[in-house]
Amino acid sequence: MKVTFSIIKADVGGWPGHSLVHPKLIETAEKELAKAVKDKVIKSFHVTHVGDDLELIMTHTKGVDSKEIHKLAWRTFEKATDVAKELKLYGAGQDLLSDAFSGNIRGMGPGVAEMEFTERKGEPVVAFMMDKTEPGAFNLPIYRMFADPFNTPGLVIDPTMHSGFVFEIWDIMEHKKVLMNAPEEMYDILALIGAKSRFVIKRVFPKKGGKLPADEPVAVISTEKLYQIAGEYVGKDDPVAIVRAQSGLPALGEVLEPWAFPHLVSGWMRGSHNGPIMPVGIKDAKCTRFDGPPRVAALGFQVANGELVGPADLFDDPAWDYTREKAQYVAEYMRRHGPFEPHRLPLEDMEYTTLPNVMKNLSKRFKKL
Ligand code: 13P
Ligand code: 13P
Ligand code: MG
Ligand code: MG
């Protein structure tokens, strides 16, 4: 059977500030989605949060971009926004950029990652959710999972993975996409995705002629850039991703291994700073220090007959303590730069800036060199 796995997320109000989601918002969303299971709109769901982002994880059989599913998510966020407004949560309704649902939730503020696939005999799927960063933060770990043999020995020793994978890469400035083959085009792929504020990995596919259908994605990442949609600073793009594992794909441990390196990502504090991404369990998915540091949580599921079995909170494990400690060391090191780059983002990547005003006020005092 074919199943659709959807994560749709939005920040509809922080508690307090931008740190967490209030439990009442989670309850509200759970009630809406439970109704949708009863009405046979979705097959199963799990509601959670990472930082101030409300995350709806759902399975159904309606395919990607289903109007019915997107409408359900939109209505759920609207209901949660009502509660957020009652509690005067911070930035209530922040990511809902429109008053009315228009048929597809993409481009309306929430982040979306969805994939439809033929369910295998055993179907492990991981939902990755980040706060205080942007879609390009997934480039490095997704590349490592599906293209780096130093991360994923299966690429070398598993005959079903040895031919590699196809990467769909989006240029989010020019609104173009390209399909590229790994390992054949590894250096060209890296030339693009190293520029992570512009080129983002959108999907990964198996190669043709292998164990898995080549037209069914094995990884998908949300690529919504809120400030590009809205044309002004409206919060960030805190991304999510879905990754399938095992039997012709990276093993679960190969999917998790890239996160042992807390790489630098953009979007900390006011969407304008670089900092390390720290893998945490949901109980620690709160953004406190300097509104961060940026966090990633990983919930693992087996999908059985279209339903979620889980979650297992994969980073809620002492095996990640060393990475977390390293992340905090790096956070401290970066913080000491204060308002200087490379802690603060370069001007063109900052979500907002006072520079035009500063320059205007100084315009008479600037002299030619
Ligand atoms: P996808 O459904 O492919 O994620 O589209 C996202 C989008 O439209 C970004 O603005
Ligand atoms: P969010 O995008 O998670 O709402 O964070 C806003 C911010 O910049 C906090 O410093
Ligand atoms: Mg927020
Ligand atoms: Mg957020």
Side-chain angles (χ1 to χ4, degrees):
M1 71 172 286
K2 276 208 182 193
V3 56
T4 312
F5 195 110
S6 299
I7 311 179
I8 306 185
K9 47 89 33 187
D11 176 348
V12 295
W15 170 68
H18 289 285
S19 61
L20 263 169
V21 169
H22 192 281
K24 277 201 171 157
L25 301 195
I26 296 191
E27 277 168 37
T28 305
E30 282 172 342
K31 234 184 258 165
E32 280 308 297
L33 297 190
K35 226 184 290 162
V37 171
K38 240 199 206 149
D39 296 344
K40 300 204 180 326
V41 176
I42 54 175
K43 288 193 72 116
S44 67
F45 71 88
H46 180 73
V47 179
T48 188
H49 78 96
V50 171
D52 61 0
D53 292 295
L54 180 60
E55 319 272 356
L56 315 179
I57 303 171
M58 301 171 283
T59 58
H60 53 93
T61 51
K62 309 219 148 47
V64 304
D65 280 334
S66 152
K67 185 172 174 180
E68 205 179 351
I69 300 299
H70 285 205
K71 193 169 170 183
L72 168 67
W74 186 260
R75 198 176 58 231
T76 303
F77 291 138
E78 279 185 333
K79 290 251 158 100
T81 299
D82 291 343
V83 177
K85 283 183 175 157
E86 267 166 44
L87 299 175
K88 292 182 72 176
L89 299 182
Y90 195 70
Q94 171 178 291
D95 286 355
L96 306 191
L97 302 181
S98 169
D99 293 332
F101 180 71
S102 67
N104 189 310
I105 206 164
R106 289 184 296 121
M108 296 184 72
V112 185
E114 297 187 288
M115 58 159 90
E116 186 182 36
F117 52 87
T118 309
E119 189 179 299
R120 295 171 293 168
K121 200 167 96 198
E123 187 62 66
V125 182
V126 183
F128 289 103
M129 297 155 286
M130 293 179 171
D131 191 28
K132 305 301 180 259
T133 185
E134 57 171 12
F138 274 107
N139 282 3
L140 187 151
I142 296 284
Y143 174 83
R144 286 234 169 107
M145 291 170 205
F146 290 96
D148 179 2
F150 284 78
N151 179 88
T152 301
L155 293 165
V156 179
I157 65 178
D158 178 351
T160 65
M161 284 172 66
H162 196 68
S163 64
F165 291 92
V166 179
F167 286 74
E168 178 184 325
I169 298 168
W170 282 19
D171 178 342
I172 53 181
M173 304 275 172
E174 298 276 327
H175 301 277
K176 289 183 193 160
K177 63 179 182 179
V178 60
L179 291 173
M180 298 182 77
N181 293 310
E184 302 90 313
E185 299 178 287
M186 243 164 99
Y187 298 161
D188 290 345
I189 291 173
L190 287 168
L192 297 185
I193 65 172
K196 63 183 173 38
S197 62
R198 173 159 177 187
F199 297 99
V200 297
I201 301 171
K202 177 65 190 175
R203 295 184 185 85
V204 180
F205 293 94
K207 289 245 171 94
K208 279 201 182 79
K211 189 171 173 171
L212 291 158
D215 57 348
E216 293 184 0
V218 294
V220 61
I221 298 95
S222 70
T223 47
E224 280 69 22
K225 280 287 245 184
L226 277 187
Y227 76 86
Q228 290 203 337
I229 296 167
E232 57 178 311
Y233 178 74
V234 282
K236 281 180 319 300
D237 321 306
D238 307 325
V240 292
I242 306 166
V243 180
R244 298 164 64 201
Q246 307 285 162
S247 309
L249 299 175
L252 182 73
E254 291 168 335
V255 166
L256 297 180
E257 181 62 11
W259 307 95
F261 171 55
H263 64 293
L264 290 174
V265 300
S266 306
W268 192 4
M269 183 47 86
R270 298 174 181 277
S272 302
H273 292 80
N274 283 313
I277 185 110
M278 183 161 84
V280 290
I282 297 294
K283 72 175 180 1
D284 298 316
K286 49 180 111 170
C287 290
T288 52
R289 183 172 181 194
F290 201 56
D291 284 356
R295 316 246 162 161
V296 57
L299 293 186
F301 300 89
Q302 288 291 136
V303 176
N305 308 313
E307 292 187 19
L308 296 166
V309 179
D313 190 348
L314 298 167
F315 290 143
D316 182 18
D317 177 339
W320 304 95
D321 283 351
Y322 176 70
T323 305
R324 289 190 273 261
E325 198 180 309
K326 199 158 37 165
Q328 291 177 60
Y329 182 88
V330 174
E332 181 60 26
Y333 173 83
M334 294 301 282
R335 278 301 299 127
R336 296 281 69 83
H337 294 79
F340 284 78
E341 296 177 11
H343 181 30
R344 204 213 66 197
L345 298 187
L347 285 174
E348 61 275 17
D349 291 336
M350 282 170 66
E351 305 272 19
Y352 51 95
T353 173
T354 49
L355 193 72
N357 263 338
V358 172
M359 290 303 281
K360 200 170 134 210
N361 294 339
L362 288 175
S363 62
K364 289 214 168 72
R365 290 166 55 193
F366 263 107
K367 302 275 180 274
K368 272 226 155 59
L369 289 177

